[in-house]
């Protein structure tokens, strides 16, 4: 069967004409053949075949039956209620062949595109489409078909130019201009083909006549006018064509990138101003918005590149079944847009041809989604005023090493911008009513633009009242990526991360899974290296470098971090080949993580409190960083603090009892010094059962002492006394030297706590018992602590002379001790100086008190003991104010203000008020 509507309507079948002539059967065939999907309603059929009349259903049926008789049952099926339809055999209709040819041409370039459009346009026989049919319906269809023909004609003219078909273009534009002189695009190509050869006066007269007859020209035609008027247009004939503009449309709204966008524009313009090619790399995690930013950047730079914008999709991370684009294929496309060029064969020759074509042009190249530098390097221009924007999930280190590249590592949006993106389109009332849910969704999306866009698309089909339910679903880590996966709109964080993971080696995937199993928000390099020993060992150094290069982990402040969605993906969705059974591998990984954390926190704690003995054992399988000073130990604990809390939670969740009580006990000295007392109380109370069931009596006594010390610092003295009496009973069960030392310390802390409750007599008795034990055990620091405690009781009674004698004895006991690596000695000395300062202060001896306070504060500062430094410095400021040394007092109070702000300890305003009074 051979059917035609692009000219005289007819159908030939096996040498006989089945449909022809101006009749209703022919009209019905043409109507159905040109309808979308080959289907029309009976109302549409009636309007086309009986204009102005209302035919009966029987009349319509008779025409359908005659058409079916001519074409057969398979072509014209029986009409359903209210509908008539036609199914043409594949390739039998000229209109279908035309549309298919045009569609295929859209994915081709240069000569291939030109030849494909020639084939498509050969389906037209040179006459009007639907020839022989009249009426308003067919006039509308005829106009639509003419528009399709013209668009194909325009595309073929441009393709001919890029294919170097100069002779054909001259002949075709001559014919078309004579036929359709009013069409601006045809006149533009007529000038492109003939204008450079015309005499300037003749060309100018032609342009004037066209403008006078057909009106003001559009921007593209004006650009051709200007270029033809310029110097030696024939030497750069290629620029007479419209500049290529292949940029993908940017998102409707770019949020949170204004500052970065502005700095990138400035960089490109600065390079262009000095005649240097700018190469910008936008690198980052999948879904962070690299392509969107590239489109926005290119749009802002468009006017700086008059010779056009070329876009290449490198498909570096397009998925399992999609190979990255061969750079030679991109070169073919780009060269087709930059004629005339001598033919080139092979990657290197085409790369040279591209550099030659761009040498005297100003073109912006956008190379999207590069997997590796090898895809990008052949596409880069040489020196000149071009620019390149590259996007990649990789850091493309080889590219950066071989070219001068301006790298922008994109991070997720800051919270206000992420919230703005998600809330866009919601009423102010809904935003306010559901502010908490919006904030939670932003947090659960990790501020990742792609995740926020997916959630926003889901909210388009839900009322605002559904927000809390969506939050609850997202809170389940296993479900989170399922919520962020929309196949119907090609929006999926799961798919994006899967494509990134496919490019990883087995070692890198295994390490990524381990990092996701690690509970902390961050992990140090040494801990990562130790993970490599699990399950037989991998090259963790190379694997973590691979992950960082792929932007799946990022290094911040000397620690590796995972985005929350990457963590969820690695734990629940990523395919990993384990060296041993998964459960065994997970157990070993968790054990390694907790061992590393416990031994490294303990190494810091030993430096802060060398007297504390915990049953931790030797570090056989992990690397331990031994800090060289208390200051460094506190800094390390600052870095590891959040991770350690997460490790404690993991140990508790898995009922790993030794870690459950040892980790909180090891961390408590740091928490006291940094005033993180609520955290200390929370974890110690949860660890109490594990300590009772799994620790020896003397170790349990230590546990209750640190619990009591936490209660004491929180002002919960009754709870502290209860814990300390338990510590005394447990210590009394061990008659060894270790047990006796534990008893002495329990007495000492109990005495200090009873004093806080006003029970001086009992406190004095316990201080005395502690003093005897310390002397028996030759513990000079303990002896000094007990003497200072007794001196404090006398200070409370205003027996200042006795208090001074006891504190002087305490200072004498501790003064001869080495302080090298003995922070408890320094701490004991600071406590004595602090108490002496209070005594002199109470006696009105301000100078002596100020000196002692300053000395104590200096020691506490060296130890990182912020809370005690705060307390002593506040009293020091009192002494300085009383002595009218207001400038010095203000300096001390500024330090107190910084300490309280760091600790979040409250009472900040009172410091500010006092500073204001002094100034």
């Amino acid at each position: 069967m051979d059917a035609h509507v692009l000219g005289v309507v007819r159908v030939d079948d096996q040498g006989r004409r089945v449909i022809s002539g101006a009749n209703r059967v022919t009209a019905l065939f043409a109507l159905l053949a040109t309808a979308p999907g080959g289907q029309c309603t009976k109302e549409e059929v009636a309007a086309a075949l009986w204009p102005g009349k209302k035919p009966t259903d029987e009349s319509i049926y008779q025409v359908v039956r005659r058409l079916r008789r001519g074409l057969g049952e398979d072509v014209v099926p029986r009409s359903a209620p209210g509908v008539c339809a036609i199914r043409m055999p594949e390739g039998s209709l000229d209109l279908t062949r035309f549309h298919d040819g045009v569609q295929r041409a859209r994915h081709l370039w240069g000569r291939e595109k030109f030849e494909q459009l020639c084939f498509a346009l050969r389906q037209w026989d040179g006459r009007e489409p639907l020839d022989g049919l009249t009426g308003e319906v067919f006039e509308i269809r005829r106009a639509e078909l003419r528009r399709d023909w013209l668009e194909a004609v325009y595309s073929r003219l441009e393709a001919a130019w890029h294919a170097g078909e100069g002779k054909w273009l001259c002949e075709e534009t001559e014919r078309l201009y004579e036929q359709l002189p009013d069409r601006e695009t045809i006149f533009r190509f007529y000038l492109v083909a003939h204008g450079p050869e015309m005499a300037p006066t003749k060309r100018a007269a032609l342009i004037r006549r066209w403008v006078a007859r057909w009106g003001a020209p559009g921007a593209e035609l004006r650009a051709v006018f200007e270029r033809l008027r310029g110097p030696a247009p024939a030497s750069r004939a290629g620029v007479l064509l419209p500049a290529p503009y292949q940029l993908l449309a940017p998102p409707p709204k770019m949020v949170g990138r204004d500052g970065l966008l502005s700095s990138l524009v400035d960089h490109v313009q600065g390079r262009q101003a000095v005649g240097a090619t700018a190469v910008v790399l936008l690198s980052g995690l999948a879904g962070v918005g690299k392509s969107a930013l590239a489109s926005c950047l290119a749009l802002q730079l468009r006017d700086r590149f008059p010779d056009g914008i070329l876009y290449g999709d490198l498909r570096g991370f397009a998925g399992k079944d999609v190979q990255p684009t061969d750079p030679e294929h991109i070169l073919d496309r780009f060269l087709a847009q930059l004629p005339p060029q001598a033919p080139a064969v092979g990657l290197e020759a085409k790369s040279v041809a591209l550099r030659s074509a761009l040498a005297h042009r100003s073109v912006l190249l956008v190379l999207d989604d590069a997997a590796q530098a090898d895809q990008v390097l052949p596409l880069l221009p040489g020196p000149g005023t071009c620019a390149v924007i590259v996007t990649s999930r990789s850091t493309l280190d080889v590219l950066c090493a071989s070219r001068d590249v301006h790298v922008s590592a994109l991070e997720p949006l800051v919270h206000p911008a992420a919230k703005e993106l998600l809330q866009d389109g919601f009423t102010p009332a809904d935003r306010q009513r559901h502010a908490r849910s919006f904030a939670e969704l932003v947090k659960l999306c990790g501020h990742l633009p792609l995740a926020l866009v997916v959630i926003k698309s889901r909210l388009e089909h839900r009322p605002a009242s559904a927000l809390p339910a969506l939050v609850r679903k997202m809170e389940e880590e296993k479900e989170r990526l399922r919520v962020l996966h929309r196949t119907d709109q090609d929006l999926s964080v799961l798919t994006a991360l899967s494509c990134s993971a496919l490019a990883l080696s087995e070692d890198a995937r295994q390490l990524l899974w381990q990092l996701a199993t690690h509970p902390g928000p961050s992990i140090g390099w040494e801990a990562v290296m130790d993970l490599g020993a699990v399950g037989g060992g991998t090259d963790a150094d190379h694997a973590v470098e691979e992950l960082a290069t792929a932007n799946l982990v990022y290094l911040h402040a000397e620690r590796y971090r995972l985005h929350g969605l990457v963590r969820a993906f690695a734990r629940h969705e990523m395919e990993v080949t384990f060296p041993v059974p998964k459960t065994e591998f997970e157990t070993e990984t968790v054990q390694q993580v907790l061992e590393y954390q416990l031994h490294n926190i303990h190494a810091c704690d030993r430096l802060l409190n060398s007297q504390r003995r915990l049953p931790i054992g030797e570090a056989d399988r992990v690397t331990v960083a031994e800090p060289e000073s208390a200051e460094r130990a506190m800094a390390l604990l600052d870095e590891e603090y959040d991770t350690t809390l997460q490790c404690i939670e993991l140990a508790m969740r898995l009922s790993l009892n030794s870690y459950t009580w040892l980790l909180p006990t090891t961390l408590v000295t740091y928490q006291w010094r940094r005033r993180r007392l609520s955290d200390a109380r929370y974890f110690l109370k949860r660890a109490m059962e594990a300590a009772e069931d799994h620790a020896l009596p003397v170790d349990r006594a230590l546990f209750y002492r640190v619990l009591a010390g936490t209660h004491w610092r929180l002002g919960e003295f009754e709870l502290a006394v209860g814990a300390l009496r338990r510590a005394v009973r447990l210590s009394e069960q061990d008659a060894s030297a270790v047990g006796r030392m534990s008893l002495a310390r329990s007495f000492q802390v109990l005495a200090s706590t009873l004093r806080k409750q006003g029970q001086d007599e009992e406190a004095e008795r316990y201080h005395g018992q502690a003093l005897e034990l310390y002397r028996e055990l030759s513990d000079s620091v303990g002896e000094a602590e007990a003497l200072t405690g007794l001196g404090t009781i006398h200070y409370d009674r205003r027996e200042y002379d006795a208090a001074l004698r006891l504190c002087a004895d305490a200072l004498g006991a501790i003064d001869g001790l080495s302080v090298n690596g003995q922070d408890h000695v320094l701490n004991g000395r600071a406590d004595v100086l602090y108490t002496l300062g209070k005594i002199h202060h109470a006696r009105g001896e301000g100078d002596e008190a100020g000196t002692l306070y300053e000395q104590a504060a200096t020691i506490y500062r060296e130890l990182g003991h912020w809370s005690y430094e705060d307390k002593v410095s506040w009293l020091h400021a009192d002494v300085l104010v009383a002595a009218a040394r207001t400038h010095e007092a203000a300096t001390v109070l500024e330090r107190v203000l910084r300490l309280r702000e760091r600790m979040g300890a409250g009472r900040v305003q009172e410091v500010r008020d006092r500073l204001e009074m002094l100034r």
Side-chain angles (χ1 to χ4, degrees), residues 45-301:
V45 172
L49 274 58
W50 290 273
K53 298 179 182 179
K54 290 186 177 181
T56 64
D57 286 349
E58 179 61 24
S59 299
I60 296 173
Y61 175 72
Q62 289 296 331
V63 178
V64 173
R65 185 175 63 181
R66 289 164 58 194
L67 181 60
R68 186 182 301 117
R69 188 184 306 133
L71 300 180
E73 296 276 346
D74 293 338
V75 177
V76 185
R78 296 185 184 276
S79 56
V83 173
C84 295
I86 193 169
R87 291 198 298 254
M88 297 298 297
E90 186 175 353
S92 63
L93 181 65
D94 58 357
L95 177 60
T96 304
R97 294 193 295 270
F98 166 71
H99 281 151
D100 288 349
V102 171
Q103 183 63 32
R104 282 193 292 272
R106 286 178 181 151
H107 303 288
L108 301 174
W109 295 270
R111 180 165 299 282
E112 290 181 342
K113 183 172 186 176
F114 171 69
E115 291 173 352
Q116 184 62 49
L117 287 169
C118 285
F119 164 78
L121 286 164
R122 277 199 293 270
Q123 306 308 311
W124 294 73
D125 65 3
R127 302 178 67 176
E128 287 290 322
L130 304 175
D131 196 6
L133 299 180
T134 59
E136 183 180 356
V137 171
F138 289 110
E139 283 301 323
I140 292 172
R141 293 279 174 92
R142 190 175 289 116
E144 291 171 352
L145 292 172
R146 284 196 200 104
R147 283 197 295 271
D148 291 347
W149 174 78
L150 267 177
E151 287 180 9
V153 166
Y154 297 159
S155 294
R156 182 167 63 165
L157 292 174
E158 184 169 350
W161 179 261
H162 288 302
E165 292 286 341
K167 181 180 178 183
W168 181 93
L169 192 66
C170 285
E171 294 172 356
E172 184 69 5
T173 53
E174 189 84 47
R175 183 181 68 81
L176 287 171
Y177 182 53
E178 183 178 346
Q179 181 184 350
L180 300 168
D182 60 324
R183 303 291 176 170
E184 182 174 311
T185 301
I186 288 174
F187 183 54
R188 175 160 54 86
F189 276 99
Y190 179 84
L191 289 175
V192 166
H194 298 277
E197 306 301 327
M198 289 182 182
T201 54
K202 181 180 178 182
R203 187 171 62 228
L206 176 66
I207 291 172
R208 282 197 301 272
R209 286 197 304 273
W210 192 92
V211 172
R213 185 171 184 184
W214 304 112
E220 291 182 338
L221 183 54
R222 288 200 306 273
V224 173
F225 292 171
E226 291 300 320
R227 286 166 179 167
L228 285 170
R229 292 189 190 109
S235 66
R236 287 188 61 196
V239 302
L240 294 176
L241 265 187
Y245 184 73
Q246 300 178 348
L247 185 65
L248 296 181
K253 187 175 184 180
M254 175 60 71
V255 177
R257 305 290 192 197
D258 292 346
L260 176 58
L261 199 57
S262 177
S263 67
L264 291 172
V265 168
D266 290 345
H267 171 75
V268 174
Q269 290 180 347
R271 295 283 291 178
Q272 196 178 39
V274 297
T277 298
V279 180
V280 172
L281 171 61
L282 304 179
S283 175
L285 177 65
V288 80
K290 303 178 292 296
S291 296
L293 181 62
S295 294
C296 289
L297 175 59
L299 190 63
Q300 289 207 14
L301 291 167

Side-chain angles (χ1 to χ4, degrees), residues 476 611 639 776 850:
E476 295 291 331
Q611 291 181 305
E639 294 172 3
E776 174 191 324

Side-chain angles (χ1 to χ4, degrees), residues 44 58 76 118 154 233 237 357 483 516 531 535 539 591 618 648 657 676 756 771 794 883 886:
E44 291 172 324
E58 179 61 24
V76 185
C118 285
Y154 297 159
V483 176
L531 285 178
D539 187 351
Q591 180 84 13
E618 296 299 320
I648 296 171
N657 293 300
R676 298 180 184 270
K756 281 289 184 180
L771 181 60
H794 285 285
T886 54

Side-chain angles (χ1 to χ4, degrees), residues 672-691:
W672 290 349
R673 294 192 182 189
R674 288 292 189 254
R675 198 76 188 168
R676 298 180 184 270
L677 302 177
S678 296
D679 285 347
R681 176 178 56 188
Y682 173 76
F683 285 105
L684 287 169
K685 289 181 74 173
R686 290 180 64 192
M688 189 184 302
E689 183 178 346

Side-chain angles (χ1 to χ4, degrees), residues 411 523-525 544 548 553-562:
E411 295 183 356
I523 180 170
W525 184 82
V544 76
V553 304
Y554 59 100
L555 187 64
H556 177 72
E558 299 296 311
R559 297 180 67 80
Y560 293 102
R561 298 175 185 270
L562 284 184

Side-chain angles (χ1 to χ4, degrees), residues 395-411:
T395 55
L396 298 183
D397 295 340
V398 173
L399 173 68
C400 297
S402 57
R403 292 294 295 263
D404 184 3
V405 179
H406 180 83
V407 180
S408 281
L410 269 66
E411 295 183 356

